[in-house]
């Protein structure tokens, strides 16, 4: 009878529950980085007043999916650049748009309609 030895890498959550198991250490490290990014995204989302009514399990899943798909998301976000996004002026009322406040948070109105309006003004 022959025996084989296998090394496994187990990732556990803060409660000690097993989250994932890997045999490849690089896969385990990558997954751990995804979880770390997801936690940071979750904290970011929790600080956005407009998301205060969103169930934490939903924010947790969205955070994980964004972190997991970072390779698809980073090229999209890189088009924005690192500069602070300026407040958009509402030409009809002569005041800042409700799309972005000075600190960059969304206030009222839907993001999609605000984005469409901003694109019309630029075009």
């Amino acid at each position: 009878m022959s025996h084989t030895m296998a090394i496994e890498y187990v990732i556990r959550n803060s409660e000690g529950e097993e989250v994932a198991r890997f045999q490849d250490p690089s896969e385990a490290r990558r997954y751990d980085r995804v979880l770390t990014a997801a936690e940071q995204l979750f904290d970011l989302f929790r600080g956005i007043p407009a998301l205060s009514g969103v169930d934490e399990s939903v924010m947790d899943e969205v955070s994980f999916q964004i972190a997991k798909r970072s390779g698809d998301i980073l090229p999209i976000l890189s088009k924005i650049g690192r500069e602070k996004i300026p407040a958009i002026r509402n030409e009809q009322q002569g005041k800042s748009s409700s799309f972005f406040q000075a600190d960059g948070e969304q206030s009222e109105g839907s993001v999609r309609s605000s984005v469409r309006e901003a694109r019309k003004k630029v075009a």
Side-chain angles (χ1 to χ4, degrees):
M1 178 191 243
S2 68
H3 298 287
T4 52
M5 180 168 64
I7 298 174
E8 291 187 330
Y9 300 86
V10 178
I11 297 179
R12 299 182 185 277
N13 63 18
S14 58
E15 288 83 36
E17 301 163 337
E18 184 176 319
V19 175
R21 185 179 292 257
F22 300 92
Q23 290 185 351
D24 182 355
S26 62
E27 286 181 25
R29 279 191 295 275
R30 183 179 185 290
Y31 191 79
D32 185 53
R33 287 192 304 264
V34 167
L35 292 178
T36 300
E39 288 175 7
Q40 293 171 341
L41 286 166
F42 180 85
D43 290 342
L44 176 75
F45 293 154
R46 192 177 353 191
I48 298 173
L51 299 177
S52 64
V54 176
D55 186 80
E56 285 196 0
S57 64
V58 172
M59 282 198 306
D60 186 50
E61 182 63 23
V62 168
S63 300
F64 177 73
Q65 293 300 325
I66 290 172
K68 185 176 166 184
R69 290 170 170 78
S70 64
D72 296 328
I73 293 170
L74 288 174
I76 296 167
L77 294 177
S78 71
K79 294 175 185 175
I80 299 170
R82 293 182 179 255
E83 311 85 45
K84 189 171 184 173
I85 298 172
I88 300 170
R89 301 291 294 173
N90 185 333
E91 294 171 7
Q92 296 168 342
Q93 298 175 0
K95 62 181 182 178
S96 292
S97 167
S98 61
F99 182 59
F100 288 107
Q101 296 174 345
D103 60 1
E105 291 182 12
Q106 180 187 347
S107 58
E108 58 188 72
S110 84
V111 172
R112 288 180 187 254
S113 64
S114 297
V115 169
R116 279 192 294 263
E117 289 301 314
R119 283 186 177 161
K120 286 179 189 174
K121 290 178 184 176
V122 172

